[in-house]
Each structure stands twice: as structure tokens, then as C-alpha cells.
Amino acid sequence: MKTLAILMVALVVINLQLHAQSVEERLTAKKPACREVLANAASVLPELYAQKAFDSLKKAIDIMHNACLDVREVFYLKTLYSIERPSILLARNMDSDFMDKLNTYAARVAVLKNRSPQFYDADEYKLISFIKQWATDLLAKKNLSAEDRYLCNVFAGNINNPEKELRANKDEYPELYALLQQGYINERNSGGITSALIVGTWMPTKDLRVLGNHPSVGVSFGGRTGRDELDFALQFRFVNSKNSYDVLRQNTLYSRDAYFGGYIGVDYTRYIIHKTGYELGWLAGAGFDGFDITSFSDGNYNTDYLKPLSINSFNFNTGLRFNYFFNARGFIGLQPRYNFINYGNKGGTSLRGNAVSIDLLFGIAHKAY
């Protein structure tokens, strides 16, 4: 009896030690980095494919997915596997962001075609080459659906612009086209980063019309949600004044016609109408406005006697913003607004008045990742 008790205690102690070692090993085990897994996959996957070991191939792809989360290579491989084994539904592997992945793949293949492999990572080149070969082999099958054939042609490098091809043949690929449109809608409704090139015209009112109309160029960048947008804007106006104006400096009036103006501020837009292809909103902005009374033509002449060399004002403005989206990200915008300004020119020509500005925006709404 005593011997049995000692034996049981020994077994319990050994079990606890093994359990402790197991926990320690699990917590301190090194998890392979994604780059290492992809590098190994470049060699292992072609071998498994050559052996037609598709169950092992599927397991290898799952290991890549667990190590690399959402890398595009996993998407490419899972898609091809779902076509190789048609019992796995295509819809399980597709989401509304699939077109970004296809466009990226086509761009990478195009670059690899035009450049020597020595300029690229050898493992990346091997993996892309394997994907191309697998897709080419699948195209030899006679029972592929039109959508499967489209995907294989993309992965085989036969389609340079996947999105253009899909849109041009949307009736032939209805399921993929529906996913594309849903992705378009999702992206338009999501938040993102905005940037735009601005060109327009600035038209003063009342006494300020002495300066005349001026063309303007600028940039804006910021962020947005589905219906709200906040941008930092910087615009420059140029071309000399239409008429000369007087400025009072050191008790002396000087006649000037120089003009180089600008606006720097923050603009907020609330979109009242928000559709997939267009949107209309109310705009409000505030910032710093002004213009220089000297110009490049003054050259090296001493202009200290004209200091201060600029006339400035706070600018509060309001108006409308209309955007037309020709795809999920690119847009052309129209932005008319009324600028409340108050240029102070004490003792000189009256510059009382505000200004109307009309701008065209050529922009991109980048998806927020």
C-alpha cells in the first residue's frame, strides 16, 4: 500500500512537471515571421503541386494564412485552390475588396514581365511564377465557369487590367460584377483620406473689384467619413491687379499694381446628398487670406519703404461642394463659395468688399486601412 502511494505521488509530480514544461515551451516558442513563411512557401508549394498533394497544399495555404493574416498571396492561392477543388464554393473566398487584389497582382506580373528577375526577391518571383503556372494549368480544364476562367486568366498574366475587363464584360461575370459594385458602394461609404488639385477663379465684389479677377491654383488634403469631410486647403492667386491701387506708407501714397495672393485654411463639408456616383454638400471654411503688394518684377530693388509688404484678412467662407465619382476613388468636384473678407488699407484705396470663388477639384478619396 505504501509503495502504491509513493508511485501515485511520483506520477502526479511527473505529470505536473511535463505540464509546466509544455506551458513554458508553448509560451516561449518562436512564431515564424510572415516573410519566413512566404519564403519557405515559394519552394514548398511548387513541390506539393507537382506531387498533386492537394490536401497538403491546402494545409500549407492555411499555415500561410495564420502566419500572414491578410496578405494578398494567400488570397491568390486560396482562389486557385477553390477552382481546383470546385466543392469549395468560390463565394467563400471572395469579398467585395477582391478587385484591389486582382489589380495589384496584374501590376506585379506586368513589372516582372518587363524586368529581369535579378531585380526582385527570388522567393517572390518563384511564388508569382508558381501562381501563374497553376492558373495556366487550370485553364486547360474544359468545365471551368466563365468567372473561374476570368480569374485564371488574371492569375496566368493574360489580363493586364482586371477591372476594365470585368466592367467591359459584366454580363458574362454577373457574380463578380455584383461583388465589384458592392465593393464600390462599401468604399464610398467608408472613411478615408482625401487629396485634390484645385484650379479656379477668384472674383472680388464692391470696392475690392479694383483688384480684378484672378486665377488660382492649390491643393487640399484631409479625411472624411461617408458624409463628413475636413480638409486643409492651400491656394495661390496670381496675375497683377486689373487697376492700380494706392497704399499709404510712412505718410506717403504709393501706387501699386502688384498682386500675389492666397488662402490657407480649414474647410468642412457636410454632404446632404450622398450617392454612389455623386454627392452634394454644404461647405464652410475659415482661414488666413491676403496678397503681396510687391512682385517678382521688383527684383533687387529695395522695397523696405513699402513695409508691411502684404495686406491681409481673416477669411470666413461658405458655399456648396459637388463631387462626381468616375470610380470608387477618383472624383471631379465643383466648389462655388462666398468669401467674407475685410482687407485693411488705411489711408489708401478702399478695398472694402468680399469675393466669390469657383473652384474645380481633381481628387482622390483614398481608402482608410
Side-chain angles (χ1 to χ4, degrees):
M1 190 70 179
K2 184 177 180 181
T3 303
L4 180 61
I6 294 173
L7 181 60
M8 291 181 65
V9 171
L11 289 173
V12 170
V13 171
I14 292 172
N15 182 64
L16 289 174
Q17 288 179 340
L18 290 174
H19 182 67
Q21 290 174 352
S22 176
V23 171
E24 183 180 357
E25 289 172 356
R26 290 171 62 189
L27 290 178
T28 59
K30 181 181 178 182
K31 184 178 180 181
C34 176
R35 180 179 292 275
E36 295 172 349
V37 172
L38 290 177
N40 293 333
S43 299
V44 173
L45 295 183
E47 293 177 5
L48 296 175
Y49 179 74
Q51 299 167 9
K52 301 301 179 184
F54 289 109
D55 290 339
S56 297
L57 190 63
K58 174 63 165 60
K59 185 176 181 180
I61 295 172
D62 288 340
I63 292 172
M64 292 175 63
H65 175 72
N66 293 332
C68 300
L69 296 179
D70 203 23
V71 297
R72 289 179 168 90
E73 287 80 1
V74 173
F75 169 79
Y76 307 150
L77 293 165
K78 280 192 171 184
T79 301
L80 290 174
Y81 189 84
S82 70
I83 297 172
E84 182 75 51
R85 293 292 180 91
S87 59
I88 299 177
L89 297 178
L90 178 65
R92 293 179 184 174
N93 189 44
M94 285 289 169
D95 57 37
S96 56
D97 293 329
F98 78 100
M99 187 51 71
D100 274 346
K101 300 180 178 76
L102 295 185
N103 286 335
T104 299
Y105 178 85
R108 289 171 67 182
V109 169
V111 171
L112 290 173
K113 280 182 180 178
N114 298 326
R115 294 284 187 91
S116 172
Q118 68 189 37
F119 289 99
Y120 299 93
D121 181 84
D123 294 320
E124 179 188 12
Y125 184 82
K126 285 168 64 177
L127 192 55
I128 293 296
S129 298
F130 166 64
I131 291 172
K132 288 179 63 179
Q133 184 59 54
W134 192 0
T136 302
D137 293 344
L138 285 171
L139 285 171
K141 291 188 174 184
K142 295 182 179 180
N143 60 342
L144 291 184
S145 68
E147 294 184 332
D148 286 349
R149 190 166 293 279
Y150 161 81
L151 291 168
C152 286
N153 272 308
V154 172
F155 292 127
N158 300 330
I159 296 177
N160 296 326
N161 191 327
E163 184 170 353
K164 181 179 179 181
E165 171 71 17
L166 181 55
R167 290 188 180 278
N169 301 279
K170 60 183 180 181
D171 294 333
E172 190 174 351
Y173 317 119
E175 292 184 22
L176 289 178
Y177 184 73
L179 275 176
L180 176 65
Q181 291 300 99
Q182 186 58 52
Y184 187 179
I185 294 171
N186 292 346
E187 189 160 346
R188 286 283 291 109
N189 290 331
S190 65
I193 301 169
T194 62
S195 59
L197 171 67
I198 307 171
V199 295
T201 184
W202 182 82
M203 299 170 288
T205 65
K206 299 181 180 179
D207 295 345
L208 195 57
R209 284 183 293 181
V210 67
L211 298 178
N213 299 343
H214 294 276
S216 68
V217 296
V219 293
S220 71
F221 55 90
R224 65 169 297 169
T225 62
R227 288 184 176 269
D228 298 282
E229 181 172 345
L230 188 67
D231 294 302
F232 172 81
L234 176 64
Q235 293 179 262
F236 298 101
R237 301 187 292 266
F238 44 92
V239 177
N240 282 350
S241 173
K242 179 181 178 181
N243 305 288
S244 60
Y245 56 90
D246 296 331
V247 294
L248 181 65
R249 297 292 187 269
Q250 300 175 6
N251 297 321
T252 303
L253 282 175
Y254 297 96
S255 180
R256 307 294 299 169
D257 65 356
Y259 182 93
F260 180 73
Y263 165 77
I264 181 171
V266 177
D267 299 335
Y268 168 74
T269 305
R270 171 65 179 177
Y271 293 104
I272 302 168
I273 299 174
H274 176 70
K275 302 293 183 181
T276 303
Y278 63 91
E279 57 192 2
L280 176 66
W282 168 76
L283 166 73
F288 179 81
D289 199 305
F291 67 94
D292 292 340
I293 63 173
T294 59
S295 66
F296 295 111
S297 61
D298 291 318
N300 296 323
Y301 291 109
N302 183 6
T303 55
D304 289 348
Y305 67 94
L306 291 173
K307 288 183 176 180
L309 302 179
S310 62
I311 299 176
N312 305 310
S313 170
F314 177 77
N315 180 328
F316 170 75
N317 55 83
T318 185
L320 298 174
R321 170 81 174 267
F322 175 80
N323 295 327
Y324 171 77
F325 282 80
F326 48 86
N327 59 39
R329 300 178 183 178
F331 67 88
I332 297 176
L334 178 63
Q335 186 172 270
R337 54 179 164 179
Y338 192 83
N339 300 268
F340 296 92
I341 49 183
N342 182 23
Y343 288 140
N345 188 31
K346 186 177 180 180
T349 301
S350 172
L351 298 179
R352 292 183 179 179
N354 301 310
V356 175
S357 59
I358 301 176
D359 298 315
L360 281 175
L361 295 88
F362 304 89
I364 299 176
H366 312 267
K367 185 176 181 179
Y369 291 96

